[in-house]
Amino acid sequence: MKEERPKPTEDSKYIQQHLANERTFLAWIRTSIAIIGIAFLMINLHEKSTSNALSTAIVQLIGALAVVISLCTIVFSTISYVMKTKQINEQTFRPSRSLIWFLASLLLLITGLFGYYFFTLL
């Protein structure tokens, strides 16, 4: 008796593109986890050191911004992943430059605040 093979799905036509899309999504998730991890590390190290009110306020601001940036990264990367999946299947893919610029700007902001904090300690 002959075994019936399942019919290929729309997604199976573009397996490499979907796998690349998934790897990109997971890279954004790893980035957001790293941002939160660095913020928590910085807050914990700051609490153990002697500090003044200004540096405490800066650390709290950096921590809050890092969490917001991390959440934005997760939300926007998920939206981007879903949109790209649909675009790949419809063969209408266009890179999302605005998302990249937005997330890069947020990361530059948090990096600048980290730098400001560490240079004020010197």
Side-chain angles (χ1 to χ4, degrees):
M1 187 173 207
K2 209 173 196 184
E3 190 175 318
E4 283 189 42
R5 297 184 99 191
K7 291 185 180 183
T9 63
E10 188 69 26
D11 289 346
S12 64
K13 291 180 185 177
Y14 310 105
I15 291 173
Q16 286 183 320
Q17 288 85 355
H18 286 294
L19 292 174
N21 187 26
E22 189 173 314
R23 285 190 301 271
T24 302
F25 171 70
L26 293 174
W28 280 112
I29 297 300
R30 282 191 305 270
T31 301
S32 71
I33 291 169
I35 292 169
I36 285 182
I38 290 170
F40 284 133
L41 175 68
M42 185 175 154
I43 290 169
N44 285 335
L45 290 175
H46 178 76
E47 287 177 358
K48 293 177 182 172
S49 68
T50 58
S51 60
N52 60 28
L54 177 61
S55 65
T56 301
I58 292 171
V59 168
Q60 289 173 348
L61 175 66
I62 292 172
L65 279 175
V67 170
V68 168
I69 289 170
S70 183
L71 291 174
C72 286
T73 302
I74 291 170
V75 168
F76 291 134
S77 64
T78 303
I79 291 169
S80 177
Y81 172 78
V82 171
M83 287 174 47
K84 285 177 186 171
T85 299
K86 183 179 176 187
Q87 290 172 347
I88 289 169
N89 285 336
E90 295 173 349
Q91 295 182 342
T92 59
F93 175 75
R94 295 217 192 297
S96 53
R97 289 181 181 90
S98 58
L99 173 65
I100 299 300
W101 282 109
F102 177 70
L103 291 174
S105 300
L106 291 178
L107 290 172
L108 283 173
L109 173 67
I110 197 75
T111 303
L113 288 172
F114 276 127
Y116 176 77
Y117 170 74
F118 285 114
F119 284 119
T120 58
L121 288 177
L122 298 176

